[in-house]
Amino acid sequence: TIMSDIKLEQFNKKNIWGALTAYNWLVNEFLPQVSKFYNIKDIHNFIEDYSIKEKLNKSKRSIISELQMFYMSNNIVISKQEIESLKEALTYCLTKKELSINEYEYILKKLGVRHFLQHDISQITTQTIAYLKENPFKISSSIVDDLLRCMLPFVDNDKSSILKDELEILITKLNPLIEKMQQIEFLRKNRILKNIN
């Protein structure tokens, strides 16, 4: 729902319908009501029979790309806590999936630690995780862009993609950035509607 007369203090999650809010509503509210209405006993089979989860997971994978595009093209004020969330999310990805040397090379270039490439893949992973945990990062939207780009190989590539359950955890870790993006986009749409009226 986008209303041109909504005030800033009236914002809440129900006003902002990004992909994540829509997904949660569909799975947790809408589909259970449909199954109840049609007397469907096993909601999980119902969801699987219509490939709903699979289709929704494809759109969830695109959330990282959407975030990266948003923070790359907008100069957004970033908090230290959001940078820490991103570092934690990338660390999580690194613990879940081993990448090819080319993908590691891309990530290490973005992080500015290409000298880690002199080691084998398990050492590269260990050193990169240690680097993320120990080093403070400059607080800027360009760092957000770089860290999100480092996560793309874990969600965009069929061979190195993390599993569905892991994707859920990753999105949870990125939730503050997702909500900020959705709120800013909502505000912009609302401002445009006000200008039209």
Side-chain angles (χ1 to χ4, degrees):
T1 303
I2 296 173
M3 295 168 56
S4 58
D5 59 345
I6 280 185
K7 293 179 174 57
L8 189 60
E9 59 271 13
Q10 294 173 300
F11 284 134
N12 62 49
K13 283 186 181 178
K14 290 289 184 188
N15 295 126
I16 304 159
W17 282 78
L20 192 60
T21 306
Y23 175 88
N24 289 331
W25 171 79
L26 191 61
V27 170
N28 300 322
E29 294 181 41
F30 179 72
L31 291 176
Q33 287 298 321
V34 169
S35 67
K36 188 176 175 183
F37 182 81
Y38 287 104
N39 241 355
I40 298 166
K41 301 285 181 228
D42 190 351
I43 182 90
H44 299 294
N45 283 345
F46 172 71
I47 290 170
E48 292 303 320
D49 289 346
Y50 291 93
S51 304
I52 292 165
K53 264 285 209 247
E54 186 183 326
K55 288 170 187 166
L56 290 169
N57 273 315
K58 280 182 185 170
S59 9
K60 286 182 109 176
R61 288 194 182 279
S62 70
I63 288 175
I64 311 297
S65 298
E66 286 175 38
L67 274 174
Q68 185 270 316
M69 289 297 292
F70 176 78
Y71 284 97
M72 176 191 76
S73 53
N74 294 284
N75 191 14
I76 306 295
V77 176
I78 304 298
S79 71
K80 184 179 178 184
Q81 188 177 359
E82 287 164 338
I83 296 288
E84 291 304 314
S85 296
L86 281 162
K87 287 167 58 176
E88 188 183 320
L90 180 55
T91 300
Y92 176 77
C93 290
L94 288 162
T95 62
K96 293 300 167 190
K97 203 75 175 178
E98 201 169 83
L99 302 174
S100 72
I101 196 70
N102 291 341
E103 290 166 319
Y104 276 114
E105 189 173 2
Y106 175 78
I107 289 170
L108 297 177
K109 183 181 172 189
K110 286 282 165 204
L111 295 175
V113 286
R114 289 188 67 169
H115 59 279
F116 289 176
L117 287 169
Q118 299 164 354
H119 305 285
D120 64 40
I121 286 180
S122 65
Q123 283 182 308
I124 291 171
T125 303
T126 305
Q127 286 181 320
T128 307
I129 290 170
Y131 176 79
L132 288 167
K133 288 181 177 176
E134 294 165 10
N135 289 289
F137 281 54
K138 184 177 73 172
I139 298 172
S140 71
S141 52
S142 67
I143 293 296
V144 173
D145 175 35
D146 285 343
L147 290 169
L148 287 166
R149 283 176 191 260
C150 291
M151 285 178 230
L152 289 175
F154 295 98
V155 293
D156 283 353
N157 186 333
D158 288 339
K159 289 180 184 174
S160 54
S161 283
I162 58 175
L163 302 172
K164 290 176 189 175
D165 294 344
E166 294 165 346
L167 179 62
E168 295 282 342
I169 293 166
L170 176 61
I171 287 173
T172 302
K173 291 179 184 299
L174 295 172
N175 214 24
L177 288 139
I178 293 168
E179 286 182 5
K180 180 180 268 188
M181 175 183 74
Q182 291 173 343
Q183 287 173 349
I184 290 169
E185 287 178 340
F186 180 80
L187 279 168
R188 285 180 181 160
K189 286 176 189 172
N190 189 38
R191 199 170 294 138
I192 289 165
L193 283 176
K194 274 188 176 177
N195 290 341
I196 290 169
N197 293 336

